[in-house]
Amino acid sequence: MMDGIPDIELPPRDNNRRETLKTIASAITGSALLSTLPWLSPLKAAPAGKSPSDKVRLGLIGTGSRGQYLEEHLLKTPGAEIAALCDVYPPHLQAAQQKIGKPVTHYKDYRHLLDDKSVDAVIIATPLYLHAPMCLDALAAGKHVFCEKSLALTIPECKAVARTASQSPKVFQIGHQRLFHRATLYALQQVKAGDLGPITQIRAYWHRNVNWRRPVPSPELEMLLNWRVHRKYSAGLMTELASHHLQVANWFLDSPPLACIGYGSINYWKDGRDVFDNVNVIYKYPKGVSFIYDSLSSNRFYGLELQIMGPKGTLELETAKFYAENPPPAPGIIQLINQIERGTLESVALADRSWVPDLKKDTKGTPLPEDPDHDDGTGLSMAAFVNAVRLGEKSPAMIEHAYRSGVAALMGVIAMEEGREVAWPGGYA
């Protein structure tokens, strides 16, 4: 037991997906956190049976790399049946079909898929500029919707989708898998238990050394396959990467940002792209808390991390560790051995320095419990969506998470592009 959350004993790895999900869900949703995590409650539903009425028939719109990643999880999710696929690029469509192992209906135009009365819900894993029109059309067609992050390409579109989803009787879920990530849930409990003291600052970075530009078989496919590097279709690093960390910052601080400032540049990938390859943004939150974010795509040495800091300690959520600000001292004999090994036995100094460098005291940290199968939360998020559709159980909190993270990411883009402070634009009602 850790801070009120029961330890999770998972079944053997060769057990089926149904039992694994049921065991994890039972432990997490049995905790004191459930009342603040309503999007987890569908996981408590009885496992899907073999009856057709227990099956949720899904249409997958967008079968690129992310769509196929979600597809792999859906194929292991009890109660889920992929009934239709949609993509305008045949190679992606064919690859997705091969994973299913049996023929399903194919569509090139997503609107034709929405006309399919046998499809209960859609999974949208398309380029960002298509999220808003597809979500709005799907909700209008009476479909339940799971949409990959970030919510939309513009703030007005974010407002429109969030407003429509809140008024619809259908389930709407955003693809922020950290909402279902075991270590992140434990970290939230530590924050609520006061293990950090009040949050005083959050820092996050996501560094890669990769060119988003992909080789294209023919010039007319440039915009289709390389949409991430074109501002007309993408908002770049802020929506593709920063939106994940912004969602967690908003969640742990229980507030959207008040305002932000930032700088961005294209300082390495000079290949005709018009989205930044280097971004630096500072967000202002209530009570004087700042969230400092940077991302670049020309150096991966530091990788990615999200650090939540308070006077008592630091949580690093990507490496899933807690670092105490004042860790308990080691037993005397261990200290002595350490000093001998380092050759630093205390001696009387004739002259001593007047300051001591502020180096890390706790460099080992305490690991947060993680899923032994290394699920980043995507598996549970798929199970929660499918069960929410089975139960007809909406979670308005999910819409708020989608809206806050989507808008916050776009605030950063506007701040960098226009060289000004950007204030929170208000809610979507």
Side-chain angles (χ1 to χ4, degrees):
M1 177 82 71
M2 176 181 172
D3 293 321
I5 299 181
D7 293 326
I8 300 173
E9 297 210 4
L10 290 162
R13 288 177 182 268
D14 60 356
N15 209 329
N16 64 40
R17 181 72 164 175
R18 185 190 310 277
E19 292 304 313
T20 301
L21 287 172
K22 187 168 67 172
T23 306
I24 296 175
S26 172
I28 291 178
T29 59
S31 76
L33 278 178
L34 179 58
S35 62
T36 62
L37 308 173
W39 55 89
L40 287 179
S41 63
L43 291 170
K44 296 192 301 181
K50 296 182 179 180
S51 168
S53 63
D54 264 0
K55 291 286 187 181
V56 175
R57 289 176 55 83
L58 299 158
L60 177 58
I61 304 175
T63 57
S65 58
R66 187 64 190 177
Q68 290 182 44
Y69 180 71
L70 297 179
E71 178 188 26
E72 290 169 2
H73 283 281
L74 286 168
L75 291 172
K76 297 183 288 187
T77 299
E81 178 184 350
I82 300 176
L85 299 171
C86 179
D87 206 301
V88 296
Y89 189 54
H92 288 168
L93 202 58
Q94 292 163 9
Q97 171 65 79
Q98 289 175 359
K99 291 180 185 293
I100 296 175
K102 65 177 182 179
V104 298
T105 305
H106 292 180
Y107 294 100
K108 187 174 182 179
D109 188 329
Y110 78 94
R111 289 165 295 191
H112 294 160
L113 184 150
L114 297 181
D115 290 336
D116 188 337
K117 302 300 183 184
S118 71
V119 172
D120 303 309
V122 295
I123 308 289
I124 298 173
T126 57
L128 180 62
Y129 77 102
L130 294 171
H131 285 190
M134 288 183 171
C135 285
L136 294 172
D137 287 347
L139 291 168
K143 308 298 186 186
H144 303 279
V145 175
F146 177 99
C147 181
E148 261 301 334
K149 60 82 201 150
S150 192
L151 183 57
L153 184 60
T154 70
I155 291 176
E157 285 181 334
C158 287
K159 287 179 178 284
V161 175
R163 185 184 309 115
T164 302
S166 67
Q167 295 170 352
S168 169
K170 299 300 180 179
V171 173
F172 180 88
Q173 185 170 318
I174 193 71
H176 280 304
Q177 66 264 31
R178 284 160 177 80
L179 288 164
F180 300 88
H181 184 226
R182 186 180 179 216
T184 305
L185 295 171
Y186 276 88
L188 179 64
Q189 178 69 4
Q190 284 196 262
V191 169
K192 290 184 175 294
D195 293 351
L196 274 68
I199 295 175
T200 51
Q201 188 180 97
I202 300 178
R203 295 189 309 187
Y205 52 86
W206 201 321
H207 297 176
R208 290 177 168 180
N209 196 342
V210 61
N211 184 356
W212 267 342
R213 184 178 294 284
R214 301 173 179 178
V216 295
S218 55
E220 66 272 13
L221 295 174
E222 166 64 19
M223 297 302 178
L224 176 67
L225 298 180
N226 287 320
W227 60 272
R228 285 184 180 86
V229 302
H230 297 287
R231 185 64 181 91
K232 183 178 179 181
Y233 307 108
S234 164
L237 294 167
M238 293 306 298
T239 48
E240 294 302 301
L241 302 183
S243 59
H244 284 295
H245 287 157
L246 281 162
Q247 180 271 315
V248 176
N250 296 337
W251 182 15
F252 278 50
L253 292 170
D254 194 23
S255 172
L258 302 174
C260 73
I261 56 173
Y263 293 95
S265 65
I266 303 172
N267 69 358
Y268 184 74
W269 296 108
K270 299 184 183 296
D271 55 2
R273 70 186 61 201
D274 56 0
V275 296
F276 298 134
D277 63 9
N278 190 330
V279 300
N280 305 266
V281 186
I282 300 176
Y283 290 86
K284 178 171 67 175
Y285 281 84
K287 300 181 181 179
V289 179
S290 294
F291 171 55
I292 304 168
Y293 182 81
D294 78 88
S295 182
L296 72 160
S297 52
S298 56
N299 184 294
R300 64 168 179 253
F301 181 75
Y302 284 104
L304 77 160
E305 191 51 83
L306 174 63
Q307 301 165 327
I308 300 175
M309 293 171 280
K312 295 182 181 180
T314 298
L315 282 162
E316 290 195 340
L317 298 192
E318 299 296 349
T319 51
K321 286 189 176 181
F322 172 71
Y323 297 90
E325 190 74 5
N326 294 296
I333 187 64
I334 296 177
Q335 290 187 30
L336 179 60
I337 292 171
N338 289 340
Q339 289 174 343
I340 292 172
E341 289 178 345
R342 293 195 302 264
T344 57
L345 279 173
E346 294 180 2
S347 59
V348 177
L350 295 177
D352 201 2
R353 59 192 176 194
S354 59
W355 62 276
V356 177
D358 290 323
L359 302 177
K360 290 181 179 178
K361 293 182 179 179
D362 180 2
T363 57
K364 185 177 180 181
T366 303
L368 302 177
E370 291 192 276
D371 189 297
D373 290 322
H374 307 292
D375 178 22
D376 63 0
T378 302
L380 276 183
S381 71
M382 292 291 95
F385 177 66
V386 170
N387 273 359
V389 172
R390 286 175 58 216
L391 300 172
E393 184 173 315
K394 288 187 63 176
S395 175
M398 183 64 69
I399 299 170
E400 190 69 21
H401 275 286
Y403 179 73
R404 288 181 174 186
S405 61
V407 169
L410 294 170
M411 287 170 59
V413 175
I414 295 169
M416 290 184 288
E417 290 179 340
E418 300 183 6
R420 65 180 177 89
E421 182 179 61
V422 177
W424 175 251
Y428 53 82

